[in-house]
Amino acid sequence: MTIPYRFEPDHTAAALHEEFDSLAVAEETGITVTVAGRLMFRRDQGKLAFFTLQDGSGRVQLFCTAKVTARYDELTALSIGDWIGATGEVMKTKTGELSVRVHEWALLAEARRQFPDKWHGIADTDTRYRQRYVDLWVTEDARRTFVMRSRMLSLTRRWLEDRGFVEVETPLLHPIAGGALAKPFVTHHNALDLDLYLRIAPELYLKRLVVAGFERVFEIGRVFRNEGIGYRWNPEFTMLELYQAYADYGDIMALTEELVAYLAQELRGTTQISFQGRSLDLTPPWRRASMTDLIEEQIGVHVDVRMPVDELRRIAAGHGVAVDDGWGPGKLVLEIYEKTTEGELWGPVFVCDYPKEVSPLARDHRELQGLVERFEPIIAGREIGNAFSELVDPDEQRARLEQQARESAAGDEEAMTVDEDYVRALEYGLPPTGGLGIGLDRVLMLLADVHHIRDVILFPTLRPEQ
């Protein structure tokens, strides 16, 4: 059968339901329409056949008879999953099903592989992720999730633009890996004979733009981290990163809770949602609490970056936290928090005031020695972002990056190196600035109520197929 080069439907399934659902049982309209999509269900009754046609908007029934439908025998020989275009009269059957009584039809694509039963979907989870092009047809929840993802990105852009933020694009290939503590992917540019890194964060380029006079700037894009794969981690994921001049981390906390609450309201219709069977209230304001207070609430022991290292190691060991001999007090406090406390925080809560030792790009706390003005929003035991009052002093920034470089030379694969051009940019003057990086995949996991990040990424990274 010859496949046409083009086909022109004039109605979608959703449009037909919107216009004609009010028809009476067995009512005929005399109105002819043309639709197109996949055949997802078939029921033959001799000289009568019913098909479910699914397009990108929904489903509608095709009503076919040997007397009226052209090439009836060929039509009823088609396979589930075949694409067809069909022209016919809009009507309702005697059972009240809105239908198109098919007069003419054309095969638009043949499904040469057996298509899953639409009513049962794909049972094997790994197959769902590898064959998303099939999964999205037969798993309604998956389709809804990715429609929600598209809306979330659009709503986020509009919300930020309404507040004076300008969207920009910064490089994916970086000459120096920086902007976050993470192991990068390395590639090579042949013409320049230059090693480059897939970006682990757009932070340093966005702050260059604040230096350049873009007082409110944001980027939504992919970032890449050469790390493990798990229910919260994929080697490439989508980050919203933004910077606001004249703001501090308190201003960014307010922005964060307002944005997430807005997305919940728009996408779920409420800020009081359920996630994995537990209630979660995203209504602002969220709780603000220091990391050390939260640790003490969880394990009943006070920790502080000013405590002797040996005492912090003893506390860690007493709570089953493995430590490295080279870690300082800040890293020990962070490790105790991450292993004992973070996963127990249902939240939402802003975990505030991180150790300076583990925060090379954040500004010193204005009151608390050894800490910086940094927070992470935690929801359902998961970190969804990272933010701080930005370090604006070029001399202090150079000293911190030089310390990072020493740690990198000592074998820390996640440590940064000195970015001379970024320090030079700071020497031209970065005003007081608040910044935020937020993992949009993790936000969508919460709003779509899914456990695994693979369920919100269309084509997640997988092990090679056996």
Side-chain angles (χ1 to χ4, degrees):
M1 190 177 298
T2 302
I3 303 296
Y5 279 83
R6 67 185 301 274
F7 190 83
E8 192 169 356
D10 55 29
H11 280 72
T12 64
L16 288 176
H17 283 287
E18 182 177 353
E19 187 173 354
F20 297 108
D21 266 350
S22 60
L23 292 177
V25 172
E27 183 176 355
E28 300 182 357
T29 65
I31 297 172
T32 299
V33 298
T34 299
V35 292
R38 279 194 193 270
L39 297 179
M40 299 301 292
F41 178 74
R42 178 179 60 205
R43 180 162 52 93
D44 296 333
Q45 296 179 350
K47 299 299 183 180
L48 190 65
F50 300 90
F51 294 88
T52 297
L53 183 81
Q54 182 171 328
D55 62 16
S57 72
R59 309 180 189 98
V60 68
Q61 180 170 272
L62 302 182
F63 175 68
C64 310
T65 66
K67 183 176 181 180
V68 172
T69 304
R71 308 187 319 282
Y72 177 81
D73 290 340
E74 291 182 41
L75 178 60
T76 55
L78 294 180
S79 300
I80 298 301
D82 286 347
W83 291 76
I84 74 164
T87 299
E89 180 188 359
V90 181
M91 50 148 331
K92 268 198 177 175
T93 64
K94 293 178 181 178
T95 60
E97 184 76 21
L98 181 67
S99 305
V100 175
R101 178 189 287 148
V102 177
H103 302 154
E104 298 289 337
W105 64 276
L107 179 66
L108 303 181
E110 180 184 357
R112 296 189 180 185
R113 291 177 178 265
Q114 184 175 359
F115 220 79
D117 185 332
K118 183 187 80 66
W119 306 111
H120 298 94
I122 301 175
D124 181 66
T125 302
D126 188 67
T127 302
R128 286 190 55 214
Y129 300 136
R130 292 189 190 280
Q131 300 181 22
R132 189 71 86 181
Y133 39 85
V134 179
D135 176 48
L136 290 170
W137 283 105
V138 299
T139 310
E140 189 62 32
D141 286 346
R143 180 178 287 269
R144 278 195 296 266
T145 294
F146 289 107
V147 170
M148 181 184 287
R149 183 186 181 103
S150 177
R151 285 199 64 214
M152 181 185 73
L153 295 176
S154 177
L155 289 165
T156 299
R157 286 187 165 95
R158 186 187 316 155
W159 191 88
L160 289 169
E161 288 167 352
D162 287 346
R163 284 152 183 79
F165 284 85
V166 176
E167 183 175 12
V168 297
E169 294 177 298
T170 61
L172 290 176
L173 294 174
H174 289 188
I176 297 173
L181 299 176
K183 184 179 179 181
F185 287 93
V186 185
T187 187
H188 188 79
H189 188 277
N190 292 333
L192 295 177
D193 190 21
L194 177 68
D195 281 345
L196 294 168
Y197 304 89
L198 291 179
R199 72 176 176 195
I200 55 177
E203 174 166 345
L204 301 187
Y205 283 95
L206 291 174
K207 285 192 282 192
R208 285 174 170 93
L209 292 176
V210 180
V211 171
F214 286 79
E215 295 174 355
R216 296 189 178 204
V217 64
F218 79 96
E219 181 169 10
I220 294 175
R222 290 289 201 185
V223 296
F224 307 86
R225 299 184 182 179
N226 196 356
E227 299 167 346
I229 294 177
Y231 76 99
R232 289 185 291 170
W233 301 276
N234 193 68
E236 58 175 313
F237 58 97
T238 300
M239 179 83 80
L240 161 66
E241 201 148 318
L242 62 86
Y243 293 86
Q244 180 176 336
Y246 320 124
D248 67 4
Y249 78 148
D251 298 306
I252 302 301
M253 285 183 215
L255 181 150
T256 302
E257 63 192 2
E258 289 168 10
L259 172 59
V260 174
Y262 166 75
L263 292 174
Q265 186 66 49
E266 292 294 315
L267 297 172
R268 293 285 298 270
T270 177
T271 56
Q272 298 181 30
I273 66 173
S274 173
F275 179 72
Q276 302 295 288
R278 289 183 61 182
S279 61
L280 192 58
D281 189 352
L282 301 175
T283 309
W286 300 353
R287 183 187 179 192
R288 283 117 166 103
S290 72
M291 176 185 290
T292 54
D293 285 348
L294 290 166
I295 294 171
E296 188 168 1
E297 288 177 13
Q298 179 62 29
I299 67 174
V301 178
H302 177 71
V303 298
D304 192 291
V305 295
R306 292 166 293 186
M307 293 170 65
V309 169
D310 288 344
E311 186 174 352
L312 288 170
R313 287 179 181 154
R314 180 183 57 77
I315 293 171
H319 290 85
V321 179
V323 301
D324 188 288
D325 290 342
W327 289 350
K331 176 63 173 174
L332 289 167
V333 169
L334 177 64
E335 199 72 11
I336 292 169
Y337 160 73
E338 289 184 340
K339 295 299 190 293
T340 67
T341 304
E342 182 178 83
E344 303 303 318
L345 300 174
W346 191 248
V349 58
F350 291 120
V351 180
C352 305
D353 306 336
Y354 276 60
K356 179 176 179 178
E357 180 186 336
V358 295
S359 310
L361 300 171
R363 192 168 185 174
D364 284 351
H365 199 286
R366 65 195 78 182
E367 296 174 355
L368 303 174
Q369 186 178 0
L371 303 180
V372 294
E373 295 193 350
R374 172 184 170 187
F375 74 85
E376 289 187 355
I378 306 296
I379 306 177
R382 307 169 185 213
E383 168 225 332
I384 65 164
N386 188 22
F388 24 89
S389 300
E390 302 297 331
L391 179 53
V392 298
D393 183 332
D395 298 329
E396 172 71 8
Q397 185 64 85
R398 176 183 292 280
R400 299 231 205 135
L401 291 176
E402 287 175 348
Q403 175 59 33
Q404 284 285 300
R406 287 189 288 271
E407 293 175 14
S408 177
D412 187 344
E413 294 181 317
E414 295 187 350
M416 303 181 199
T417 55
V418 179
D419 186 332
E420 292 287 353
D421 181 70
Y422 177 64
V423 175
R424 178 170 59 190
L426 292 184
E427 290 173 345
Y428 280 93
L430 176 67
T433 298
L436 168 69
I438 192 165
L440 292 178
D441 307 285
R442 291 188 181 180
V443 173
L444 182 59
M445 289 168 68
L446 291 166
L447 298 180
D449 193 9
V450 298
H451 171 71
H452 207 295
I453 195 170
R454 290 176 180 173
D455 289 316
V456 298
I457 295 176
L458 278 168
F459 301 102
T461 305
L462 302 169
R463 297 182 187 277
E465 189 170 5
Q466 299 301 315

